[in-house]
């Protein structure tokens, strides 16, 4: 199978959170599109501080969805529709805030409600990205363990230079490496 067909007609829900590394989600979206995937991007409030929806709309050729789950479309209930549509759900990057929200079952935004509506019927991949101290904090580690025990696949972080200037774990895995995990799990 050619590279551009490996994910042909597969539906991927990509949730982008507020991390300085969210720019890498743009490259991942482009890679997924080149592999033939249909991508629906949702953006957290934090992600909207870094990137505008138009970036992902241009790359995915679909409307990027914001956290407002109360936007009504006459033919669907957005969070249920998203959960049913997706073959795979990805959180890339997954900020400490997003991880805590998901582990707490918060569903006051579109992605949180879609995450609950999926109830692990479809695989969920989560790629953490944060400062090393935040990543090592017991609350973050406990939340990751909880999500993993529920069925979320927690992907490894890389070690390297972080946005804060320190070096250590917590760096978001590269879009190319993320693509490998996606291919293994779809």
């Amino acid at each position: 199978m050619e590279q551009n067909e490996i994910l042909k007609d597969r539906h991927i829900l990509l949730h982008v959170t507020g991390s300085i590394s969210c720019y890498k989600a743009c490259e991942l979206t482009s890679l997924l599109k080149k592999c033939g995937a249909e991508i629906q991007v949702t953006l957290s409030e934090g992600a909207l501080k870094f990137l505008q929806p138009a970036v992902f709309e241009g790359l995915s050729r679909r409307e990027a969805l914001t956290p407002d789950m109360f936007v009504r479309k006459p033919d669907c209930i957005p969070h249920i529709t998203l959960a049913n549509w997706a073959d795979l759900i990805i959180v890339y990057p997954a900020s400490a805030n997003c991880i805590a929200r998901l582990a707490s079952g918060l569903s006051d935004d579109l992605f949180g409600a879609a995450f609950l509506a999926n109830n692990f019927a479809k695989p969920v991949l989560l790629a953490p990205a944060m400062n090393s101290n935040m990543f090592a904090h017991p609350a973050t580690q406990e939340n990751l363990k909880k999500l993993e025990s529920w069925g979320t696949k927690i992907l490894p972080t890389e070690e390297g230079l972080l946005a804060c200037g320190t070096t250590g774990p917590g760096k978001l895995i590269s879009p190319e490496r993320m693509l490998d995990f996606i291919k293994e799990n779809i």
Side-chain angles (χ1 to χ4, degrees):
M1 184 177 290
E2 287 186 40
Q3 177 70 11
N4 63 351
E5 294 181 8
I6 201 154
L7 297 174
K8 186 164 177 46
D9 299 326
R10 301 309 301 246
H11 296 163
I12 298 175
L13 174 56
L14 170 62
H15 184 58
V16 181
T17 73
S19 163
I20 190 67
S21 62
C22 68
Y23 72 92
K24 292 180 181 181
C26 298
E27 186 176 347
L28 179 62
T29 302
S30 181
L31 289 171
L32 289 168
K33 199 69 182 162
K34 288 176 185 171
C35 290
E38 291 294 324
I39 307 115
Q40 177 60 66
V41 176
T42 59
L43 300 161
S44 73
E45 286 293 338
L48 290 168
K49 305 284 187 205
F50 291 99
L51 295 166
Q52 294 297 308
V55 173
F56 291 101
E57 290 168 358
L59 293 169
S60 69
R61 297 184 194 96
R62 295 177 74 96
E63 177 186 9
L65 303 175
T66 59
D68 186 1
M69 66 184 262
F70 297 104
V71 172
R72 293 285 177 223
K73 300 201 180 215
D75 59 343
C76 74
I77 301 169
H79 61 288
I80 304 297
T81 302
L82 282 175
N84 290 336
W85 174 85
D87 294 316
L88 177 69
I89 297 172
I90 301 167
V91 184
Y92 182 91
S95 67
N97 183 57
C98 176
I99 291 166
R101 290 176 59 76
L102 295 176
S104 296
L106 294 178
S107 60
D108 60 347
D109 68 3
L110 179 60
F111 184 74
F115 179 79
L116 290 183
N118 174 55
N119 199 22
F120 301 101
K122 320 286 179 51
V124 178
L125 303 180
L126 188 141
M130 65 200 75
N131 165 275
S132 298
N133 289 337
M134 293 172 73
F135 184 67
H137 193 281
T140 302
Q141 290 302 309
E142 189 175 304
N143 288 332
L144 288 169
K145 286 178 187 157
K146 184 184 221 181
L147 289 168
E148 187 172 43
S149 76
W150 290 348
T152 302
K153 181 160 187 163
I154 308 300
L155 303 181
T157 63
E158 292 181 355
E159 243 183 85
L161 183 62
L162 303 172
C164 60
T166 63
T167 301
K171 184 176 180 174
L172 182 64
I173 61 173
S174 71
E176 295 80 13
R177 193 158 171 224
M178 186 67 194
L179 184 61
D180 291 337
F181 281 109
I182 291 166
K183 290 174 184 176
E184 290 171 13
N185 286 277
I186 200 158

